């Protein structure tokens, strides 16, 4: 049968995993769809450096030549950053993307599938998908949230963008039994903004306690993710009222223009970038980097715990 899992782990990542060293998985959709060139390539490099500064090895996930890649070299990052039209691949799209060869850029959801297959315990992205505004009518809920109920990976993010309904996003996470840990902060963050106005259910300040919480969640037999949030730094953040105004308008425009399905997220993100004259793109890059560094630190604390004997 030709159905052997086509997983290709880079040498550096494979070595780290074999040695029990900390690894942080990263998505590639943010490179192809999140930021324009050359900011996307520059930010991808800074994000990888930030994971290293936190003490861990970065492992960016993508699909290329019918393989699920875990850990990208410089040339591949540059190609994903420049070649137009690389498809967005969420978890339901993974199998067909692999069967037809790709290339494909993985979202949070599909990156979690790859991370778990490779044996990577931590993942980082600045903003996860969530419940969209108006979901009561459109039923637009990101597959990222559903994947959290399936993949045993700790996800470090700066919450989710306020293009979403963050109150409903938090409700969904609660209903589906996904733990949300607010690391060294009180509120569920809003990507460009420090707070969504929704209080997080549990604050933890100590990396070792976060690592033990992750391990205990899995030891209790839970199959899914633990979401750990860390907000954007105040000096990088945008004004929440301004962001909200722009998004409310862009959401109405998207609906009027008939933007549907998985194109909605990119449409709204671009609208915010345009309306803020690039300030949103700068905040986006900054929060990706700062989140990745925290993820590196927490993955390091988790690896230290595992190496002390609490191995999975
Ligand atoms: N939200 C963000 N930034 C992003 C995305 C979401 O704040 O870059 C991207 C991620 O790749 C995420 C995907 O996994 O969009 C979610 O898309 P959808 O809402 O179609 O599931
Ligand atoms: Mn959607």
């Amino acid at each position: 049968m030709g159905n052997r899992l086509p997983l290709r782990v880079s040498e550096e990542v494979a070595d780290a995993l074999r040695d029990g060293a900390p690894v942080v998985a990263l998505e590639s959709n943010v490179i192809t769809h999140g930021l324009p060139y050359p900011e996307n390539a520059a930010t991808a490099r800074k994000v990888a450096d930030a994971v290293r500064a936190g003490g861990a090895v970065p492992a960016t996930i993508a699909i290329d030549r019918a393989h699920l890649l875990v850990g990208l070299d410089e040339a591949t990052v540059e190609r994903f950053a420049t070649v137009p039209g690389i498809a967005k691949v969420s978890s339901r799209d993974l199998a067909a993307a692999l069967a037809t060869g790709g290339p494909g850029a993985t979202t949070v959801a599909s990156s979690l599938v790859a991370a778990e297959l490779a044996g990577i315990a931590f993942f980082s992205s600045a903003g996860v998908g969530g419940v969209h505004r108006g979901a009561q009518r459109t039923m637009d809920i990101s597959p990222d949230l559903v994947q959290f109920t399936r993949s045993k990976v700790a996800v470090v993010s700066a919450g989710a963008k306020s293009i979403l309904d963050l109150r409903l996003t938090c409700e969904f996470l609660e209903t589906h039994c996904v733990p949300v840990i607010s690391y060294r902060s009180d509120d569920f963050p809003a990507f460009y903004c420090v707070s969504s106005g929704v209080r997080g259910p549990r604050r933890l300040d100590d990396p070792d306690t976060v690592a033990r919480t992750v391990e205990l969640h899995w030891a209790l037999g839970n199959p899914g993710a633990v979401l750990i949030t860390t907000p954007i730094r105040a000096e990088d953040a945008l004004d929440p009222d301004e962001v909200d105004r722009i998004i409310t308008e862009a959401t109405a425009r998207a609906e009027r223009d008939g933007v549907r399905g998985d194109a909605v997220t990119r449409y709204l993100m671009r609208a915010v970038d345009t309306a803020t004259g690039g300030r949103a793109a700068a905040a986006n890059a900054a929060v990706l980097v700062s989140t990745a560094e925290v993820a590196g630190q927490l993955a390091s604390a988790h690896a230290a715990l595992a190496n002390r004997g609490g191995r999975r």
Side-chain angles (χ1 to χ4, degrees):
M1 247 321 264
N3 278 346
R4 212 172 52 83
L5 186 64
L7 188 69
R8 187 171 291 160
V9 182
S10 76
E11 203 177 312
E12 186 194 14
V13 173
D15 285 352
L17 290 170
R18 201 195 38 240
D19 298 345
V23 177
V24 175
L26 302 164
E27 59 160 316
S28 48
N29 184 55
V30 66
I31 302 175
T32 55
H33 289 65
L35 287 165
Y37 187 79
E39 285 81 27
N40 55 356
T43 304
R45 276 189 291 272
K46 284 187 206 152
V47 164
D49 289 346
V51 169
R52 292 185 201 282
V57 172
T60 309
I61 314 284
I63 296 140
D64 198 28
R65 299 191 183 94
H67 279 77
L68 189 49
L69 306 184
V70 179
L72 303 187
D73 58 32
E74 279 280 326
T76 308
V77 170
E78 188 67 20
R79 184 155 55 84
F80 271 69
T82 48
V83 173
I86 293 182
K88 169 177 173 177
V89 175
S90 194
S91 37
R92 72 162 181 181
D93 314 308
L94 254 184
L98 287 167
T100 55
T106 52
T107 63
V108 172
S110 54
S111 299
L112 293 182
V113 173
E116 187 173 27
L117 287 170
I120 299 173
F122 273 72
F123 168 85
S124 170
S125 185
V128 298
V131 179
H132 281 258
R133 297 181 181 201
Q136 299 90 331
R137 280 175 296 106
T138 64
M139 288 186 72
D140 190 350
I141 298 174
S142 172
D144 292 355
L145 296 186
V146 176
Q147 195 64 47
F148 289 167
T149 68
R150 303 182 181 186
S151 294
K152 249 168 97 167
V153 180
V155 175
V156 182
S157 91
K161 282 204 174 125
S162 30
I163 60 171
L164 303 164
D165 187 322
L166 295 181
R167 198 164 287 282
L168 291 187
T169 298
C170 289
E171 290 293 350
F172 188 100
L173 290 166
E174 182 182 356
T175 298
H176 291 275
C177 316
V178 178
V180 178
I181 305 297
S182 307
Y183 181 58
R184 297 185 177 173
S185 50
D186 291 315
D187 291 354
F188 192 80
F191 191 88
Y192 301 119
C193 308
V194 176
S195 168
S196 62
V198 182
R199 199 163 178 91
R202 164 69 70 172
R203 172 179 177 142
L204 293 176
D205 287 20
D206 169 42
D208 186 59
T209 309
V210 174
R212 284 191 298 113
T213 302
V214 168
E215 274 310 307
L216 283 165
H217 184 66
W218 293 332
L220 288 167
N222 291 297
V226 176
L227 180 58
I228 303 159
T229 66
T230 175
I232 189 170
R233 283 188 299 246
E235 62 267 33
D236 297 326
L238 300 181
D239 173 51
D241 293 334
E242 181 193 11
V243 172
D244 191 68
R245 226 169 22 246
I246 294 166
I247 290 168
T248 303
E249 207 229 295
T251 305
R253 206 164 357 104
E255 217 169 302
R256 227 175 27 240
D257 293 354
V259 182
R260 297 268 189 282
D262 71 357
V264 171
T265 295
R266 186 188 200 184
Y267 179 96
L268 294 176
M269 281 161 44
R270 283 292 149 91
V272 179
D273 287 349
T274 308
T276 56
R279 276 182 297 122
N284 191 336
V287 71
L288 276 163
V289 171
S290 61
T291 308
E293 182 162 358
V294 172
Q297 291 161 355
L298 293 174
S300 298
H302 180 260
L305 175 72
N307 293 332
R308 282 204 305 272
R311 270 211 107 80
R312 285 202 277 165

